[in-house]
Amino acid sequence: MDEPYIIKFNTHADDRGKLVALEEGQELPFRLQRVYYMRGLSEDKPRGYHAHRNLLQLVICLSGSCNFLLDNGRQTFDFHLNSPDEGLYIGNYMWREMHQLSRDCILLILASEKYSPSDYIDDYDKFIEEIKTHA
Ligand code: TYD
């Protein structure tokens, strides 16, 4: 239930372009088990609307922009992502919604666990109930 935060990456830039490297224990605050990406998104089609019981994630907006609304049941956090030079860390038991997804938005997500439907809490009231017992 860590608070979300932005990790600024070291961008290796020269006249050939830019390169960002992420390593476990350095920029990546967990052991990497899964990578996925999202594209073909739409401003009028928000996504997310769930929390995870165990999953930790680092979200990188490789192209375009979007807003993340995060909620731990006590506090909400708003992040505007529009740069591949930083990542948004999202801990477990954090309700997330993705809004204002630009058409050119590409989100790369680095995840600490393999895909597991049972790790999802997709009902907000259930999420609020569960964090009372989890805390
Ligand atoms: P979903 O969790 O609905 O996306 P959102 O982040 O917007 O809530 O995932 C969309 C579909 O992709 C759903 O059928 C589950 C599938 N999926 C996988 O098969 N593996 C994965 O690692 C993820 C994240 C989703």
Side-chain angles (χ1 to χ4, degrees):
M1 292 183 86
D2 315 323
E3 288 196 2
Y5 59 91
I6 293 287
I7 301 174
K8 301 274 187 198
F9 304 143
N10 185 16
T11 302
H12 303 272
D14 59 33
D15 58 5
R16 299 167 302 164
K18 293 179 177 174
L19 184 153
V20 172
L22 307 177
E23 292 193 11
E24 277 175 26
Q26 301 290 325
E27 299 81 3
L28 197 54
F30 50 77
R31 197 172 143 249
L32 182 65
Q33 293 217 60
R34 176 166 52 113
V35 174
Y36 63 96
Y37 50 91
M38 301 168 74
R39 62 198 163 97
L41 304 165
S42 180
E43 286 209 359
D44 60 355
K45 294 198 175 79
R47 298 190 63 135
Y49 295 90
H50 62 256
H52 290 280
R53 296 184 171 95
N54 293 307
L55 189 70
L56 313 175
Q57 291 172 308
L58 187 68
V59 181
I60 305 165
C61 185
L62 292 179
S63 160
S65 63
C66 66
N67 293 337
F68 268 72
L69 173 63
L70 303 175
D71 179 348
N72 63 9
R74 299 183 306 275
Q75 202 180 344
T76 60
F77 307 86
D78 279 298
F79 290 93
H80 180 66
L81 299 187
N82 63 358
S83 168
D85 296 330
E86 62 184 31
L88 171 62
Y89 170 79
I90 306 177
N92 63 344
Y93 283 102
M94 189 67 65
W95 186 263
R96 86 278 318 273
E97 298 175 11
M98 290 107 100
H99 294 277
Q100 302 296 318
L101 295 147
S102 69
R103 287 189 68 80
D104 58 346
C105 182
I106 299 176
L107 292 177
L108 176 69
I109 294 103
L110 310 182
S112 68
E113 312 289 332
K114 298 205 168 91
Y115 179 61
S116 165
S118 65
D119 189 58
Y120 280 66
I121 310 168
D122 52 17
D123 178 275
Y124 186 77
D125 293 338
K126 195 170 168 206
F127 165 67
I128 294 297
E129 275 310 304
E130 208 170 305
I131 53 175
K132 283 183 197 159
T133 53
H134 175 83

